[in-house]
Amino acid sequence: MSAVASTVAGMTANTTAGTPAASTPTTGTAGAVVARGLTKRFGATTAVDGVDLTIPGGSVFGLLGPNGAGKTTVVSMLATLIEPDAGQATVLGYDVTAQAHQVRQLIGLTGQYASLVETLGGTENLVLIGRLTGASRTDARQRAAELLKRFRLTDAAGRAVQTYSGGMRRRLDLAASLVSKPRVLFLDEPTTGLDPRSRNELWDIVRELVAEGVTVLLTTQYLEEADQLADQIAVIDHGRVIAQGTSAELKELTGADTLDEVFLSLTGHDTQAAAEADELEEIGA
């Protein structure tokens, strides 16, 4: 997912940050995020093939799958970055195609790569996003200060992002996705390439957000991450959901002791190798 796309998804065209959507939802609210038959094709390739998902509000839903399985494409459709070719999806009752503007007012998105302006400082990045979402300069600076404090970045607020460590960049990127106080947060492999300490710090932040009522859709190749955070897990391969349930249910289904064994059993892929490949790509090896 590109930095530009990641940034745009978290910004609304609304004139006032946080203003409730004017239109009414098109469906009921059985789940905070609901997808039925979601399909996306790129030429002759079907990237997502009839995906059904129901994500309860105030929970973490883990979407697992090998590289190229369709995880990011699912997130991109739910976040209104691309339109599905078939099927329907809603976020808090708003249709992602017919009511994309309303959906964008309710969501935040953090992708695999930081959607930040490298030459600007932490405060400047967050204020810029706040202003783009329609906040006044005063409100944007106040919100930036709140988020920098929460993510323990106050001391680095004036430094250019290009001087930040990988963990600091990810924390700031997550802070950027929270500027407009989203009710649904899409995290697309947010901890790829991070060291264990930085990864654990982000896990703690996700737990705090869920405790505040935020709904999180997390894609990851780190099975420990899903085991630690996700209330429900769906495994996707070749664009289709091939299994879904709690971590315990998936282990019982496959007779496995760990999620890594579940993943290998269902997809034939080794998650450790996939994660290491992603990390090498992240550092440019």
Side-chain angles (χ1 to χ4, degrees):
M1 185 175 297
S2 72
V4 172
S6 182
T7 304
V8 170
M11 300 177 182
T12 78
N14 193 14
T15 55
T16 305
T19 299
S23 300
T24 56
T26 57
T27 67
T29 54
V33 179
V34 178
R36 293 290 179 265
L38 206 60
T39 301
K40 185 65 184 178
R41 303 179 186 88
F42 297 101
T45 301
T46 301
V48 175
D49 190 6
V51 163
D52 294 340
L53 298 173
T54 300
I55 304 176
S59 69
V60 179
F61 190 95
L63 189 60
L64 309 183
N67 287 328
K71 303 186 300 295
T72 295
T73 303
V74 170
V75 170
S76 296
M77 287 188 283
L78 295 175
T80 76
L81 295 179
I82 57 176
E83 291 190 3
D85 293 317
Q88 183 187 37
T90 59
V91 175
L92 297 173
Y94 293 96
D95 188 277
V96 298
T97 301
Q99 297 171 301
H101 175 69
Q102 286 82 1
V103 171
R104 291 177 191 135
Q105 296 179 42
L106 301 169
I107 67 172
L109 170 64
T110 296
Q112 299 173 41
Y113 306 104
S115 55
L116 304 165
V117 181
E118 295 283 311
T119 55
L120 296 182
T123 296
E124 292 172 305
N125 267 282
L126 298 185
V127 169
L128 172 63
I129 293 172
R131 295 288 284 157
L132 287 170
T133 60
S136 68
R137 185 173 298 278
T138 299
D139 288 346
R141 294 194 69 84
Q142 180 179 342
R143 180 62 174 158
E146 292 172 357
L147 290 168
L148 289 166
K149 181 179 180 180
R150 177 172 193 171
F151 287 83
R152 294 180 292 101
L153 291 168
T154 301
D155 291 344
R159 285 169 40 196
V161 171
Q162 60 193 6
T163 68
Y164 284 21
S165 68
M168 292 169 68
R169 285 169 180 252
R170 287 296 166 83
R171 295 206 306 273
L172 184 60
D173 195 43
L174 183 52
S177 71
L178 298 175
V179 167
S180 60
K181 301 181 179 178
R183 293 168 58 189
V184 175
L185 185 61
F186 298 114
L187 301 180
D188 188 19
E189 301 194 16
T191 61
T192 296
L194 292 186
D195 60 79
R197 178 180 176 181
S198 296
R199 190 172 296 145
N200 285 332
E201 289 176 345
L202 278 182
W203 291 357
D204 288 340
I205 291 168
V206 171
R207 293 186 183 103
E208 291 173 5
L209 291 170
V210 172
E212 295 168 5
V214 176
T215 303
V216 176
L217 172 58
L218 169 74
T219 76
T220 182
Q221 291 194 62
Y222 297 108
L223 277 296
E224 181 189 3
E225 187 162 84
D227 225 353
Q228 288 282 333
L229 295 176
D231 300 293
Q232 289 278 324
I233 297 169
V235 180
I236 186 171
D237 196 19
H238 296 99
R240 296 181 177 180
V241 174
I242 57 175
Q244 186 169 328
T246 65
S247 174
E249 288 169 344
L250 292 176
K251 291 171 186 175
E252 183 178 357
L253 174 69
T254 58
D257 294 322
T258 67
L259 271 185
D260 291 271
E261 293 174 355
V262 169
F263 194 85
L264 181 61
S265 173
L266 292 172
T267 70
H269 292 270
D270 184 338
T271 57
Q272 181 64 32
E276 289 175 353
D278 273 353
E279 290 180 359
L280 288 172
E281 180 181 352
E282 177 80 5
I283 64 176

